[in-house]
Amino acid sequence: MSLTLRLAKMGRSEVGSSEYPMKLPNFTAILEAFIFDHRRWIIGIFIVLTLFMAYSATGLHIDAGFRKHLPLKHEYMQTYMEYREEFGGANRVLIALMAKSGD
């Protein structure tokens, strides 16, 4: 069935007619007709894309390591990396107390 005949059956006019001065309804009708004419191909393309994305998703893994979020070239981070074993990591707060007099 031709596009013109299908548009006429749907109550729409041909592209460029004076019945629809705006081009959007005509574009929508043409797009609708194209999608329904080629629906098997379009569904097939979406199935192939879905399978490809599902296969690609199998290679994803979560790695939220602490060191991956740090600017390791910064001087503070280099100091941290040098002394991290001695002070037990970055998730601790150390408080040093010193007596003013006596032992």
Side-chain angles (χ1 to χ4, degrees), residues 9-56:
K9 282 186 175 183
M10 291 188 291
R12 296 184 174 113
S13 65
E14 281 188 63
V15 176
S17 74
S18 61
E19 226 176 283
Y20 282 102
M22 292 176 39
K23 294 186 186 230
L24 187 59
N26 292 327
F27 173 74
T28 306
I30 292 170
L31 184 62
E32 176 187 346
F34 176 80
I35 289 172
F36 280 101
D37 282 347
H38 301 95
R39 64 181 169 261
R40 291 178 198 249
W41 279 102
I42 292 171
I43 291 171
I45 288 169
F46 277 104
I47 289 172
V48 168
L49 285 173
T50 302
L51 291 174
F52 172 73
M53 288 183 198
Y55 174 74
S56 297

Side-chain angles (χ1 to χ4, degrees), residues 87 93-103:
F87 293 105
V93 176
L94 296 177
I95 300 173
L97 300 174
M98 293 178 53
K100 289 186 179 181
S101 63
D103 288 334

Side-chain angles (χ1 to χ4, degrees), residues 79-97:
T79 304
Y80 160 73
M81 296 301 283
E82 185 177 342
Y83 295 106
R84 72 178 173 200
E85 295 300 322
E86 293 177 33
F87 293 105
N91 293 329
R92 301 199 180 179
V93 176
L94 296 177
I95 300 173
L97 300 174

